[in-house]
Every structure is written in structure tokens, then in C-alpha cells.
């Protein structure tokens, strides 16, 4: 299975709070066959956020969790009109997310994906395409980083 597909991209996220966005990702993960239980994965995402923020800065967050409910590694991308308070490193709201889904035993894969994406988020061209690109452009963009 592919880590990321076009059906795992939602450019019309509706959430107005962090928890609403995390719920949207949990539901999207189930629809994409990456997660076996939306409620369980949602809880794991929330627990991870309680440890420390996943708000990267510049309007972007990377919510992620290693979870027993994740059937296979995956990456989801979301973007929305709402500016969501996220306790990001720069104290700015977030409207663009890259959600990482990693099985409980996938520690190395989790770190690899997080590291690769974090490095690319320093690139203004990458960030610009992530924030303004079409689903196809975002798929190509992110697949180029995680492959």
C-alpha cells in the first residue's frame, strides 16, 4: 500500500478547534483504510498533543501518533479556511496540517517521516505549494519527500 494517496488530502477542513481537526483526521484515516478505529486513533492524537504541541509554525502543524489503531503507515494532508489555535512554536494559528499515522511498533518510520517533513517545512517553496497547491500538486510534493 502507498503511504499517501490523493484521497488522503482534504483541502476543505471544517474544524475550528484543534480537537475538531484531529477528529477530521481520525475519520479521514478510517475512510482511507489506514486506521481501524477512529475514536481510538483520535484519542491517541489528543494524547500526543498533550505531551507537546505539533504546531510547527508558519501556519502549519504536524499532528501525529504511534497507535495500536493504525493498520499501516500513512500520511494525510489537510488545509482549511479557519485559523485554528494550535499552540504552535510561533504562537500563530494553523490552517494547514500534515498528519502522520504510524503503527505502535513503527518508531523508526515515525522518526524518519517526521524528520524528512520537518526539514522540508524550512523550504519556502515547499511551504508555498503546500498552502496553495491542488490535491495533485500536494500529492506529488509530499510523495517526493517521504519516498
Amino acid at each position: 500500500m502507498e503511504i499517501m494517496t490523493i484521497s488522503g488530502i482534504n483541502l476543505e477542513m471544517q474544524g475550528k478547534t484543534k480537537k475538531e481537526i484531529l477528529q477530521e483526521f481520525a475519520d479521514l484515516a478510517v475512510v482511507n483504510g489506514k486506521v481501524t478505529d477512529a475514536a481510538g486513533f483520535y484519542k491517541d492524537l489528543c494524547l500526543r498533543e498533550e505531551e507537546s504541541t505539533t504546531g510547527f509554525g508558519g501556519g502549519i502543524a504536524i499532528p501525529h501518533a504511534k497507535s495500536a489503531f493504525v493498520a499501516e503507515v500513512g500520511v494525510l494532508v489537510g488545509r482549511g479556511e479557519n485559523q485554528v489555535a494550535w499552540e504552535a512554536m510561533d504562537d500563530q494559528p494553523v490552517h494547514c496540517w500534515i498528519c502522520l499515522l504510524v503503527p505502535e511498533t513503527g518508531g523508526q518510520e515515525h522518526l524518519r517521516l517526521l524528520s524528512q517533513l520537518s526539514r522540508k517545512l524550512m523550504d519556502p517553496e515547499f511551504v508555498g505549494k503546500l498552502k496553495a497547491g491542488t490535491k495533485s500538486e500536494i500529492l506529488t510534493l509530499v510523495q517526493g519527500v517521504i519516498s
Side-chain angles (χ1 to χ4, degrees), residues 59-79:
I60 298 173
I62 310 175
H64 57 278
K66 286 192 288 183
S67 173
F69 300 103
V70 175
E72 65 181 47
V73 173
V75 175
L76 306 173
V77 174
R79 195 170 68 210

Side-chain angles (χ1 to χ4, degrees), residues 1-123:
M1 296 292 278
E2 292 185 64
I3 291 178
M4 184 178 177
T5 62
I6 202 150
S7 64
I9 301 171
N10 179 355
L11 301 183
E12 298 174 2
M13 299 287 279
Q14 298 298 307
K16 295 179 181 173
T17 67
K18 183 188 290 192
K19 289 193 176 211
E20 289 174 354
I21 294 294
L22 295 177
Q23 184 64 63
E24 284 185 71
F25 276 122
D27 293 340
L28 185 60
V30 168
V31 168
N32 279 272
K34 299 286 187 185
V35 169
T36 58
D37 180 68
F41 183 60
Y42 167 76
K43 182 179 176 191
D44 289 340
L45 284 171
C46 290
L47 287 171
R48 171 58 187 85
E49 286 294 332
E50 288 173 13
E51 289 175 20
S52 65
T53 185
T54 59
F56 188 82
I60 298 173
I62 310 175
H64 57 278
K66 286 192 288 183
S67 173
F69 300 103
V70 175
E72 65 181 47
V73 173
V75 175
L76 306 173
V77 174
R79 195 170 68 210
E81 296 293 320
N82 296 323
Q83 298 291 320
V84 179
W86 208 274
E87 298 89 39
M89 289 188 267
D90 61 0
D91 291 322
Q92 297 300 307
V94 172
H95 66 278
C96 189
W97 300 268
I98 303 172
C99 184
L100 307 181
L101 320 164
V102 182
E104 213 166 31
T105 57
Q108 293 303 320
E109 185 69 1
H110 176 241
L111 294 175
R112 180 185 74 81
L113 288 171
L114 200 52
S115 172
Q116 289 171 322
L117 288 166
S118 295
R119 273 197 304 275
K120 281 307 273 185
L121 289 174
M122 303 294 219
D123 176 354

